Amino acid sequence: MHTPPRIVVVGGGYAGVMAARAALERRAQVTLVDADGHHGFLPRLATVAAGVGPVSDADAPLAELLPGVTLVTDEVAGIDHHARALATADGRGIEWDTLVLAAGAQATAPSIPGLADHAWTLRTPDDARRLRALVPTAESLVVVGAGSTGTQLAGEVAAAHPHVQVHLLEMADRILPSLPDNMADRAHHVLVDRRVEIRTGVSLDRVGPEGADLDDGTTVPGLVVWTGGYASNGNVLLPDAPTTDGRIVVDRCARVSGHRRVLAAGDIAAHRGPGGRLLPQTAQVAVRAGRLAGANAARIADGLRPRAGRLRHIGWVLPLGDGQAVAQVGPLPLADPVTGRLAPLLHDAIDVRHLLTVGGLPAAVRHHQEFVSLP
């Protein structure tokens, strides 16, 4: 009688849940190790923090999304890839035939005086829920970091709470510095129309109880929210793995270089697309890479050859609130006043598809019911 292979997945983010799902589909025995037992919908955190989307948009219990998976709610204390065993912080030992590392990137913050004591962050579902209670009563909101999360938060709050003066601060010379110029330009225009005060080329010097002090000598009063700072450090879990900018080097099958039975997917891994280009750390890449890693983990454990995947990043979607968004799908921009109205629908469709893939129809229906009941 065939014994199901034992697959252990570390991390319950986008890559982790897709890896677990793919391994289940190949009739593997899957154990998922995650520190808090919830799957965070990170692209939705700004919407939840602004009070626009339902609280359930922030996260969902992994046990509900992945029935059939053994969930271990704990942190990983160590991995012995020679013995094929993993130790958790509470002293538990878990053996595996193949291992998938999908722990994602970790939040980081510079040593700015007062940042830890007086600024809020928007990195986790709990952060989003805390801000949801604070934002409506604030007179001024100071968003530090105009990447995707910060720009979305500024747009969502300005649209939903016009009485709140929103400030958006960015060290680079434009907002959304990692996104295409046309998306950044359109987002800038939308935010300015909503009276968002945008300042670029400035850095944070200090945060106090009343606001943020900048390196140009000015002070911006208000509730300060830090939205930047993520870094991958794959060597924390696998000290001898080769890395690129902290991301574990993997091949086209998602196997870790030099580790035949260990795979990695998502933000923790250095995935490459066409032409060997390093892919960005986004949910869409994590979803595809996680499915590839999970399927190949089961194949390797069954004594089969893994299959190479063709990963790619097809575009960006950034909601800005009040039915506005900017997007680019391949070479096609959706960043003008007309096509920008289609981008939020695309964003919702992507989320529903993810829920259907991971949790099936019940998860998607539950999400829709909670959304339509939002006051």
Side-chain angles (χ1 to χ4, degrees):
M1 182 176 179
H2 175 70
T3 302
R6 299 167 301 173
I7 311 299
V8 173
V9 179
V10 177
Y14 283 87
V17 296
M18 294 307 295
R21 172 63 63 188
L24 274 180
E25 290 172 356
R26 295 191 62 88
R27 303 185 184 279
Q29 176 185 318
V30 182
T31 300
L32 177 62
V33 183
D34 185 81
D36 65 10
H38 282 72
H39 172 60
F41 300 106
L42 301 187
R44 288 287 188 179
L45 295 187
T47 304
V48 173
V52 179
V55 174
S56 60
D57 262 9
D59 60 2
L62 287 164
E64 291 183 9
L65 290 178
L66 294 168
V69 169
T70 299
L71 178 63
V72 176
T73 305
D74 203 349
E75 294 184 353
V76 175
I79 294 171
D80 186 340
H81 60 88
H82 296 294
R84 299 183 198 168
L86 175 151
T88 63
D90 67 359
R92 187 178 336 191
I94 304 173
E95 296 182 343
W96 43 268
D97 296 311
T98 49
L99 175 69
V100 179
L101 301 179
Q106 289 73 47
T108 61
S111 57
I112 296 173
L115 184 64
D117 296 326
H118 302 296
W120 298 85
T121 59
L122 183 55
R123 293 163 165 164
T124 69
D126 283 342
D127 290 341
R129 286 186 279 265
R130 293 186 191 103
L131 286 172
R132 185 185 184 91
L134 294 171
V135 166
T137 61
E139 294 183 3
S140 176
L141 177 70
V142 184
V143 181
V144 183
S148 297
T149 300
T151 300
Q152 183 182 355
L153 179 64
E156 297 273 15
V157 171
H161 306 286
H163 66 281
V164 179
Q165 176 60 61
V166 180
H167 304 266
L168 181 59
L169 312 179
E170 171 56 44
M171 184 170 58
D173 60 0
R174 69 169 173 91
I175 67 171
L176 300 173
S178 64
L179 270 60
D181 288 346
N182 61 337
M183 290 182 64
D185 291 343
R186 176 59 189 162
H188 190 283
H189 180 75
V190 170
L191 296 184
V192 169
D193 275 355
R194 293 178 184 166
R195 299 188 309 108
V196 175
E197 294 285 340
I198 299 174
R199 297 185 63 178
T200 58
V202 294
S203 298
L204 198 60
D205 259 3
R206 189 183 73 88
V207 180
E210 304 300 324
D213 295 338
L214 307 183
D215 61 352
D216 62 0
T218 61
T219 297
V220 183
L223 177 73
V224 179
V225 179
W226 174 268
T227 66
Y230 283 92
S232 298
N233 190 353
N235 289 136
V236 169
L237 289 175
L238 210 58
D240 59 346
T243 58
T244 297
D245 195 24
R247 299 162 69 179
I248 296 174
V249 175
V250 294
D251 64 13
R252 291 180 59 199
C253 300
R255 290 176 301 187
V256 176
S257 179
H259 296 73
R260 188 171 62 87
R261 288 181 172 267
V262 181
L263 302 92
D267 289 354
I268 199 172
H271 297 296
R272 296 190 180 273
R277 178 174 54 90
L278 191 64
L279 294 174
Q281 294 165 293
T282 63
Q284 63 173 282
V285 172
V287 164
R288 291 180 172 86
R291 176 166 284 280
L292 173 68
N296 277 336
R299 291 182 63 84
I300 292 170
D302 274 332
L304 302 174
R305 294 186 54 156
R307 293 175 176 170
R310 294 183 178 180
L311 300 178
R312 65 188 189 279
H313 182 263
I314 62 174
W316 309 87
V317 184
L318 181 66
L320 296 172
D322 194 27
Q324 288 281 353
V326 291
Q328 182 165 321
V329 181
L332 178 65
L334 302 176
D336 59 68
V338 176
T339 61
R341 292 285 176 177
L342 300 175
L345 301 178
L346 178 60
H347 190 260
D348 289 341
I350 292 170
D351 282 353
V352 171
R353 183 177 184 273
H354 178 62
L355 282 169
L356 283 169
T357 302
V358 176
L361 186 59
V365 170
R366 183 168 57 251
H367 169 84
H368 176 71
Q369 289 173 337
E370 289 167 344
F371 180 80
V372 297
S373 66
L374 182 72

mmCIF file of all heavy atoms in Angstrom, residues 21 37 40 74 107 116 122 145 162 174 180 193-194 207 212 233 258 261 277 298 336 375:
data_model
loop_
_atom_site.group_PDB
_atom_site.id
_atom_site.type_symbol
_atom_site.label_atom_id
_atom_site.label_comp_id
_atom_site.label_asym_id
_atom_site.label_seq_id
_atom_site.Cartn_x
_atom_site.Cartn_y
_atom_site.Cartn_z
ATOM 1 N N ARG A 21 -1.927 23.514 -0.917
ATOM 2 C CA ARG A 21 -3.030 23.077 -1.771
ATOM 3 C C ARG A 21 -2.535 22.165 -2.886
ATOM 4 O O ARG A 21 -3.133 21.112 -3.168
ATOM 5 C CB ARG A 21 -3.740 24.304 -2.352
ATOM 6 C CG ARG A 21 -4.791 24.001 -3.412
ATOM 7 C CD ARG A 21 -5.936 23.193 -2.876
ATOM 8 N NE ARG A 21 -6.664 23.914 -1.839
ATOM 9 C CZ ARG A 21 -7.624 23.366 -1.097
ATOM 10 N NH1 ARG A 21 -7.913 22.091 -1.242
ATOM 11 N NH2 ARG A 21 -8.239 24.077 -0.182
ATOM 12 N N GLY A 37 -1.272 31.164 12.510
ATOM 13 C CA GLY A 37 -2.381 30.345 12.044
ATOM 14 C C GLY A 37 -3.371 31.047 11.152
ATOM 15 O O GLY A 37 -4.479 30.537 10.928
ATOM 16 N N GLY A 40 -2.849 36.083 5.741
ATOM 17 C CA GLY A 40 -3.087 37.509 5.593
ATOM 18 C C GLY A 40 -3.262 37.912 4.142
ATOM 19 O O GLY A 40 -2.485 37.513 3.283
ATOM 20 N N ASP A 74 3.008 27.712 15.330
ATOM 21 C CA ASP A 74 4.243 27.889 16.096
ATOM 22 C C ASP A 74 5.308 28.453 15.159
ATOM 23 O O ASP A 74 5.119 28.496 13.934
ATOM 24 C CB ASP A 74 4.710 26.548 16.671
ATOM 25 C CG ASP A 74 5.625 26.710 17.886
ATOM 26 O OD1 ASP A 74 6.063 27.852 18.155
ATOM 27 O OD2 ASP A 74 5.918 25.703 18.539
ATOM 28 N N ALA A 107 9.274 42.202 8.324
ATOM 29 C CA ALA A 107 9.222 43.654 8.472
ATOM 30 C C ALA A 107 10.508 44.178 9.088
ATOM 31 O O ALA A 107 11.067 43.574 10.002
ATOM 32 C CB ALA A 107 8.027 44.050 9.329
ATOM 33 N N ALA A 116 9.519 53.666 16.989
ATOM 34 C CA ALA A 116 8.886 52.536 17.665
ATOM 35 C C ALA A 116 7.881 52.981 18.723
ATOM 36 O O ALA A 116 6.896 52.284 18.987
ATOM 37 C CB ALA A 116 9.958 51.649 18.307
ATOM 38 N N LEU A 122 1.714 49.595 9.243
ATOM 39 C CA LEU A 122 0.711 48.871 8.463
ATOM 40 C C LEU A 122 1.427 47.758 7.718
ATOM 41 O O LEU A 122 1.825 47.902 6.563
ATOM 42 C CB LEU A 122 -0.017 49.800 7.489
ATOM 43 C CG LEU A 122 -1.137 49.128 6.674
ATOM 44 C CD1 LEU A 122 -2.151 48.443 7.591
ATOM 45 C CD2 LEU A 122 -1.826 50.140 5.777
ATOM 46 N N GLY A 145 6.227 56.695 3.516
ATOM 47 C CA GLY A 145 6.514 55.659 2.537
ATOM 48 C C GLY A 145 5.440 55.614 1.471
ATOM 49 O O GLY A 145 4.295 55.255 1.750
ATOM 50 N N PRO A 162 -12.921 62.433 4.148
ATOM 51 C CA PRO A 162 -12.447 63.730 3.625
ATOM 52 C C PRO A 162 -12.116 64.751 4.705
ATOM 53 O O PRO A 162 -11.417 65.732 4.425
ATOM 54 C CB PRO A 162 -13.614 64.199 2.740
ATOM 55 C CG PRO A 162 -14.793 63.391 3.171
ATOM 56 C CD PRO A 162 -14.267 62.096 3.670
ATOM 57 N N ARG A 174 9.720 60.495 -6.501
ATOM 58 C CA ARG A 174 8.314 60.384 -6.895
ATOM 59 C C ARG A 174 7.660 59.277 -6.078
ATOM 60 O O ARG A 174 8.344 58.441 -5.494
ATOM 61 C CB ARG A 174 8.173 60.081 -8.385
ATOM 62 C CG ARG A 174 8.646 58.683 -8.829
ATOM 63 C CD ARG A 174 8.205 58.436 -10.268
ATOM 64 N NE ARG A 174 8.717 57.226 -10.870
ATOM 65 C CZ ARG A 174 8.110 56.039 -10.835
ATOM 66 N NH1 ARG A 174 6.981 55.899 -10.152
ATOM 67 N NH2 ARG A 174 8.630 54.998 -11.457
ATOM 68 N N PRO A 180 5.656 51.500 -12.822
ATOM 69 C CA PRO A 180 5.822 52.274 -14.057
ATOM 70 C C PRO A 180 5.445 53.742 -13.879
ATOM 71 O O PRO A 180 4.569 54.087 -13.073
ATOM 72 C CB PRO A 180 4.873 51.571 -15.045
ATOM 73 C CG PRO A 180 4.760 50.168 -14.533
ATOM 74 C CD PRO A 180 4.831 50.282 -13.041
ATOM 75 N N ASP A 193 -6.043 65.508 -6.344
ATOM 76 C CA ASP A 193 -7.453 65.879 -6.457
ATOM 77 C C ASP A 193 -8.201 65.682 -5.144
ATOM 78 O O ASP A 193 -9.216 66.341 -4.893
ATOM 79 C CB ASP A 193 -8.129 65.047 -7.554
ATOM 80 C CG ASP A 193 -7.944 65.663 -8.934
ATOM 81 O OD1 ASP A 193 -7.383 66.775 -9.020
ATOM 82 O OD2 ASP A 193 -8.365 65.030 -9.926
ATOM 83 N N ARG A 194 -7.703 64.782 -4.313
ATOM 84 C CA ARG A 194 -8.344 64.517 -3.020
ATOM 85 C C ARG A 194 -7.679 65.298 -1.889
ATOM 86 O O ARG A 194 -7.848 64.980 -0.727
ATOM 87 C CB ARG A 194 -8.301 63.016 -2.720
ATOM 88 C CG ARG A 194 -9.153 62.210 -3.675
ATOM 89 C CD ARG A 194 -9.063 60.729 -3.386
ATOM 90 N NE ARG A 194 -9.815 59.968 -4.362
ATOM 91 C CZ ARG A 194 -9.722 58.658 -4.532
ATOM 92 N NH1 ARG A 194 -8.902 57.953 -3.760
ATOM 93 N NH2 ARG A 194 -10.446 58.041 -5.445
ATOM 94 N N VAL A 207 10.195 60.918 15.197
ATOM 95 C CA VAL A 207 8.747 60.874 15.370
ATOM 96 C C VAL A 207 8.429 61.187 16.822
ATOM 97 O O VAL A 207 9.017 60.598 17.749
ATOM 98 C CB VAL A 207 8.157 59.496 14.993
ATOM 99 C CG1 VAL A 207 6.642 59.494 15.183
ATOM 100 C CG2 VAL A 207 8.510 59.127 13.569
ATOM 101 N N ALA A 212 5.616 64.114 12.792
ATOM 102 C CA ALA A 212 6.892 63.685 12.227
ATOM 103 C C ALA A 212 7.790 64.874 11.932
ATOM 104 O O ALA A 212 7.355 65.853 11.315
ATOM 105 C CB ALA A 212 6.656 62.897 10.939
ATOM 106 N N ASN A 233 15.320 37.207 4.578
ATOM 107 C CA ASN A 233 16.540 36.660 5.156
ATOM 108 C C ASN A 233 16.398 35.141 5.218
ATOM 109 O O ASN A 233 16.113 34.558 6.269
ATOM 110 C CB ASN A 233 16.811 37.239 6.544
ATOM 111 C CG ASN A 233 18.197 36.882 7.067
ATOM 112 O OD1 ASN A 233 18.922 36.097 6.445
ATOM 113 N ND2 ASN A 233 18.576 37.442 8.191
ATOM 114 N N GLY A 258 21.592 23.269 -4.033
ATOM 115 C CA GLY A 258 22.363 22.445 -3.113
ATOM 116 C C GLY A 258 21.541 21.661 -2.113
ATOM 117 O O GLY A 258 22.098 20.975 -1.259
ATOM 118 N N ARG A 261 15.957 18.105 -1.520
ATOM 119 C CA ARG A 261 14.607 17.886 -1.003
ATOM 120 C C ARG A 261 14.018 19.112 -0.308
ATOM 121 O O ARG A 261 13.041 19.005 0.428
ATOM 122 C CB ARG A 261 14.596 16.689 -0.040
ATOM 123 C CG ARG A 261 14.770 15.358 -0.751
ATOM 124 C CD ARG A 261 14.722 14.183 0.216
ATOM 125 N NE ARG A 261 14.696 12.932 -0.518
ATOM 126 C CZ ARG A 261 13.588 12.282 -0.857
ATOM 127 N NH1 ARG A 261 12.411 12.776 -0.527
ATOM 128 N NH2 ARG A 261 13.648 11.132 -1.518
ATOM 129 N N ARG A 277 15.396 37.228 -15.589
ATOM 130 C CA ARG A 277 15.142 38.446 -14.819
ATOM 131 C C ARG A 277 14.581 38.097 -13.444
ATOM 132 O O ARG A 277 13.655 37.297 -13.316
ATOM 133 C CB ARG A 277 14.154 39.329 -15.588
ATOM 134 C CG ARG A 277 13.762 40.618 -14.886
ATOM 135 C CD ARG A 277 12.899 41.460 -15.804
ATOM 136 N NE ARG A 277 11.753 40.711 -16.286
ATOM 137 C CZ ARG A 277 10.578 40.664 -15.662
ATOM 138 N NH1 ARG A 277 10.422 41.300 -14.512
ATOM 139 N NH2 ARG A 277 9.570 39.979 -16.179
ATOM 140 N N ALA A 298 5.759 17.198 -3.799
ATOM 141 C CA ALA A 298 5.096 15.890 -3.805
ATOM 142 C C ALA A 298 5.733 14.955 -4.823
ATOM 143 O O ALA A 298 5.898 13.756 -4.562
ATOM 144 C CB ALA A 298 3.608 16.075 -4.097
ATOM 145 N N ASP A 336 -5.756 55.805 -16.890
ATOM 146 C CA ASP A 336 -6.384 57.087 -17.199
ATOM 147 C C ASP A 336 -7.761 57.113 -16.536
ATOM 148 O O ASP A 336 -8.229 56.106 -16.005
ATOM 149 C CB ASP A 336 -6.489 57.290 -18.718
ATOM 150 C CG ASP A 336 -7.293 56.190 -19.391
ATOM 151 O OD1 ASP A 336 -8.513 56.125 -19.160
ATOM 152 O OD2 ASP A 336 -6.698 55.386 -20.131
ATOM 153 N N PRO A 375 -21.664 48.011 6.735
ATOM 154 C CA PRO A 375 -22.484 49.223 6.820
ATOM 155 C C PRO A 375 -21.912 50.354 5.984
ATOM 156 O O PRO A 375 -20.730 50.447 5.776
ATOM 157 C CB PRO A 375 -22.462 49.575 8.311
ATOM 158 C CG PRO A 375 -21.551 48.641 9.005
ATOM 159 C CD PRO A 375 -21.081 47.625 8.024
#
